Amino acid sequence: MTNKNAHNANDRFGGSSSRSISGIYTFLLVFTSIFLSACSEINKPQPEPFYAETVPPAKQEFRWSNGKAPKSFDPAKASAAPETDVARALFEGLTNTDSKTLKETAGVAERWISSNDFKVWTFFLRENAKWSNGKPVTARDFVRSWRRLAEMGDEAAHANLLSNFAGLPARKAELPETADDADFLLNSITNRSSPLIPQSPDNSNTSVPQIGIAQNSNSARPTPDTADSEAENKLGFIAETDFILKVTLTRPDKDFPKLVAHPIFSPIHGDGREFEKPDTAIVTNGAFGITANGTDGITLDKSENYWNRNAIKIERVRFVPMENAEAALEAYRRGELDAVTNGEFAPLALKLLSPYRDFRRTTFSALNFYEVNSIKPPFTDRRVRQALSSAIDRERLTEGDLEGTTQPALSFLPFGTLSHLKMSQDKEKARDLLDESGFPNGENFPVIKLLINRNDTQQRIARSVARMWKQNLNLETEIIVKEASEFEAARKSSDFDLIRRGVVFPTANESANFRAIFETDGQIPVPPPAETTDSNNDSHDKPAAEPDAAPRTANSVEDYSLAFAEENAIFECNAIPLYFPVSYSLVKPYVSGFELNSLDAPSLKDVLIDNNWQPEKVKGES
């Protein structure tokens, strides 16, 4: 402190001008100490650990808002929440999906085996699986339900998931977006007139090594000798006995049990007409059954006939519809809900909710990416495709234009055995690759035609990517915006260099997910095999594909294994992943077993309400 300041301080506090500087310091030190001590006596408000701490319900009742009221209880029409959530509670397929690991677990099938080439699968149904009317669930129920699923055509959800079943017509894997607000969705059904046309499956004799669930010694009773139609016998799924279901695939799929865990593959008891009549009692085979359905929501009670009834802890589930996320948030705050999922929260709300421990973020199983027109020069050269991919800073993209509401996609899938493989993000490496391909510093490289749909978010992303290509590679980009009606036509005519696409992965089956990204007209292009392989996935150590080489298609088991390998997909860069969407939820602290996951497929079978839960005491409370 200067002398002038010391003098002012003396005057301010009424001291003598002859008082020493050290005396003033002593006074200020004591004053500050007393002031801080007094402040410490005032309890500073502590932030609440949870957004809403409320008294848990007295019973094992779970109140869940997962969006608006479901449009149908028909599992064949369950494409997303809330329909998928209700379908999983009411119906059970051959297998289930573990909410934590996304692995397949036993459902109506207690065990299964496959042929050596993973094309023929045999499921052994448990004999104590029953419908809610007490009748047994049989293999014939699955055959009838899956036949109906195929015959529904576009009325069924995710009909492309049937594309690998022998005896069914091939279906394409993608369609253009149909709405601007479907930021990452891509409809997966194309052929609008696709009647069931049975074909002869390849039923070659193969050995059947045991996989999955352990065997038991129960023998299956033969199916009664009823008159199956000739068409049914030619389907790729047949009931060999009441409790043995055999499925034949056209292509190998080592993860097929994960595929049939999706709700659309659940059996139904009737012919489906019961779902069209609101007053008709629906026969179900899941852990819960409908006891009430009104404007205030749907009430499900634990089923009396479910084979694993004793393992279900909650007695009742109430699906409470909400018109929007704000209404659900307020109801959760008031203690009227135990969980909120499937809500579209505004960015500001997400920032306000993020500190609370009952707020959860989950990477969603969907991908936004740019498909590269790899049959059009200079994009036939893999080095060019890799350069474009490596020049994109995905973290900057998601944190900037997408305001932290997404996760950067450094792989093609957010989960699975190969999701640890990462896309390269190295602008120096990108420049080297472009130089090697004959375009040093971007010289003589044509203007990139980037085709996107009319969506504000996608236009912001495209502008950011174009800036990165300009800054890092000195490449120019023309962003072409198309309406939904024009989008697919441009893709089919290859009138683009790169095109924005988005797919949702409804199952944990990696083969089906890769087909959704790469399959075109029922086939997946496979590049010529590389001469060298290295575990670090370093493109400099691998030979470039011939620029004008004709594309091959995956026909053999080996080719298909290659086509589905994410390592190869990353290496070839026929698609450039950008980001994974994120889903958000709120779950009360007294709820356990309600696991959120990438598939947006929480299971009610493990949910437990801690009726004795108490909020944490604030420090200092008696």
Side-chain angles (χ1 to χ4, degrees):
M1 183 179 290
T2 63
N3 290 335
K4 180 179 180 181
N5 289 337
H7 178 73
N8 290 339
N10 286 332
D11 291 343
R12 187 180 301 119
F13 294 110
S16 169
S17 60
S18 61
R19 184 172 297 175
S20 66
I21 298 291
S22 61
I24 295 175
Y25 277 134
T26 301
F27 174 81
L28 290 175
L29 181 63
V30 172
F31 178 84
T32 302
S33 176
I34 294 173
F35 178 78
L36 293 176
S37 177
C39 289
S40 67
E41 297 300 321
I42 303 173
N43 289 329
K44 184 179 179 180
Q46 298 293 323
E48 296 290 339
F50 302 101
Y51 179 71
E53 286 186 353
T54 54
V55 178
K59 301 178 180 179
Q60 286 297 319
E61 179 181 78
F62 183 59
R63 302 162 298 176
W64 179 10
S65 174
N66 60 346
K68 298 181 180 180
K71 297 178 181 179
S72 173
F73 294 136
D74 188 349
K77 296 183 178 181
S79 61
E83 286 79 13
T84 48
D85 294 326
V86 177
R88 287 188 185 94
L90 296 177
F91 298 93
E92 182 173 69
L94 295 170
T95 59
N96 295 308
T97 300
D98 185 280
S99 295
K100 288 185 178 180
T101 66
L102 297 184
K103 293 181 178 179
E104 70 277 10
T105 60
V108 174
E110 57 186 350
R111 61 187 179 93
W112 46 88
I113 57 178
S114 83
S115 58
N116 284 330
D117 61 1
F118 299 109
K119 291 176 67 175
V120 180
W121 289 83
T122 305
F123 293 87
F124 300 87
L125 280 57
R126 59 182 79 248
E127 296 188 23
N128 62 339
K130 298 184 183 300
W131 294 100
S132 54
N133 61 8
K135 295 183 179 180
V137 180
T138 69
R140 187 168 298 281
D141 291 323
F142 281 92
V143 171
R144 174 174 38 78
S145 300
W146 289 4
R147 181 183 178 88
R148 168 183 177 259
L149 178 66
E151 290 174 336
M152 288 174 67
D154 288 355
E155 293 183 4
H158 303 297
N160 62 297
L161 296 182
L162 291 166
S163 65
N164 197 21
F165 284 71
L168 298 182
R171 300 181 68 93
K172 296 180 183 179
E174 71 281 333
L175 261 190
E177 295 183 1
T178 56
D180 289 342
D181 59 354
D183 186 31
F184 56 83
L185 298 178
L186 190 71
N187 292 339
S188 57
I189 304 168
T190 59
N191 190 357
R192 294 216 173 263
S193 57
S194 83
L196 185 63
I197 306 175
Q199 301 171 2
S200 297
D202 179 15
N203 289 320
S204 56
N205 293 326
T206 52
S207 59
V208 282
Q210 174 67 42
I211 64 171
I213 313 301
Q215 300 186 41
N216 70 18
S217 59
N218 292 340
S219 60
R221 297 188 299 274
T223 302
D225 187 17
T226 56
D228 289 343
S229 66
E230 182 181 351
E232 183 172 328
N233 288 331
K234 292 182 179 179
L235 290 175
F237 39 90
I238 60 173
E240 292 196 330
T241 73
D242 274 349
F243 300 104
I244 297 180
L245 178 69
K246 183 178 179 180
V247 184
T248 303
L249 307 178
T250 59
R251 299 178 293 265
D253 187 352
K254 64 181 179 61
D255 291 330
F256 183 68
K258 292 182 178 179
L259 181 75
V260 292
H262 192 279
I264 66 168
F265 294 106
S266 299
I268 64 170
H269 185 265
D271 59 5
R273 283 180 287 187
E274 61 270 24
F275 298 113
E276 301 171 5
K277 303 175 182 178
D279 297 331
T280 303
I282 299 174
V283 178
T284 61
N285 76 318
F288 299 89
I290 303 173
T291 54
N293 180 20
T295 56
D296 58 343
I298 304 165
T299 301
L300 308 183
D301 284 347
K302 185 162 66 171
S303 175
E304 294 291 337
N305 290 317
Y306 181 59
W307 65 269
N308 202 22
R309 185 180 192 279
N310 292 336
I312 309 301
K313 304 302 181 183
I314 52 174
E315 297 292 332
R316 172 167 291 182
V317 179
R318 287 183 53 220
F319 286 97
V320 184
M322 291 289 168
E323 284 299 314
N324 51 57
E326 291 74 17
L329 197 61
E330 183 57 31
Y332 181 87
R333 183 79 171 179
R334 293 194 303 264
E336 298 170 2
L337 296 172
D338 304 312
V340 175
T341 62
N342 196 32
E344 297 182 4
F345 296 106
L348 178 58
L350 296 176
K351 291 180 180 179
L352 295 175
L353 291 169
S354 59
Y356 295 105
R357 284 160 52 185
D358 51 343
F359 177 69
R360 305 183 187 182
R361 294 169 50 104
T362 308
T363 302
F364 186 58
S365 59
L367 173 68
N368 273 267
F369 65 100
Y370 287 155
E371 177 185 330
V372 185
N373 189 350
S374 56
I375 63 172
K376 181 179 180 182
F379 306 99
T380 50
D381 191 327
R382 174 180 50 78
R383 295 167 298 188
V384 170
R385 302 193 298 269
Q386 285 186 317
L388 294 175
S389 177
S390 295
I392 299 175
D393 185 341
R394 293 162 178 82
E395 285 86 355
R396 196 173 107 194
L397 194 68
T398 56
E399 292 300 321
D401 293 273
L402 296 170
E403 303 180 59
T405 60
T406 62
Q407 291 291 328
L410 300 178
S411 60
F412 286 100
L413 302 179
F415 53 77
T417 57
L418 295 171
S419 60
H420 65 282
L421 297 170
K422 302 301 181 184
M423 302 293 296
S424 170
Q425 294 191 124
D426 187 337
K427 58 186 179 182
E428 296 297 333
K429 179 179 178 180
R431 293 191 191 106
D432 291 343
L433 287 167
L434 199 63
D435 290 350
E436 293 172 13
S437 64
F439 302 98
N441 195 34
E443 293 179 9
N444 300 319
F445 198 93
V447 176
I448 301 169
K449 294 174 64 176
L450 174 58
L451 181 61
I452 65 172
N453 53 300
R454 189 173 295 281
N455 177 288
D456 291 341
T457 300
Q458 295 308 321
Q459 292 183 55
R460 291 201 310 272
I461 294 170
R463 288 193 292 267
S464 292
V465 170
R467 283 195 297 270
M468 293 179 192
W469 286 337
K470 178 62 177 177
Q471 293 169 0
N472 299 331
L473 301 175
N474 195 31
L475 301 181
E476 299 292 339
T477 304
E478 178 187 2
I479 299 172
I480 303 171
V481 180
K482 293 280 188 181
E483 300 291 347
S485 58
E486 304 172 301
F487 203 79
E488 181 67 2
R491 182 168 181 257
K492 286 182 177 180
S493 64
S494 296
D495 188 18
F496 66 93
D497 297 331
L498 286 89
I499 187 169
R500 182 261 170 184
R501 286 184 56 204
V503 293
V504 176
F505 309 123
T507 78
N509 181 288
E510 293 185 32
S511 296
N513 294 338
F514 273 96
R515 281 200 298 271
I517 299 173
F518 296 106
E519 192 169 61
T520 303
D521 295 327
Q523 293 182 316
I524 297 180
V526 180
E531 296 177 4
T532 61
T533 303
D534 84 89
S535 58
N536 295 324
N537 197 36
D538 189 344
S539 64
H540 287 293
D541 297 333
K542 295 185 179 182
E546 292 294 331
D548 298 320
R552 299 186 300 134
T553 56
N555 296 316
S556 67
V557 175
E558 292 76 17
D559 279 347
Y560 237 82
S561 298
L562 177 65
F564 287 154
E566 185 169 7
E567 182 177 8
N568 187 73
I570 289 176
F571 173 59
E572 289 299 329
C573 283
N574 289 321
I576 301 175
L578 297 175
Y579 65 89
F580 302 119
V582 174
S583 59
Y584 307 94
S585 57
L586 288 158
V587 182
K588 290 292 177 65
Y590 51 74
V591 176
S592 64
F594 189 70
E595 300 291 339
L596 282 305
N597 53 56
S598 292
L599 290 179
D600 197 17
S603 174
L604 292 169
K605 296 173 183 176
D606 300 318
V607 173
L608 176 67
I609 304 294
D610 183 356
N611 305 116
N612 298 316
W613 181 87
Q614 295 291 330
E616 297 177 358
K617 291 184 178 180
V618 179
K619 187 176 181 180
E621 287 184 349
S622 57

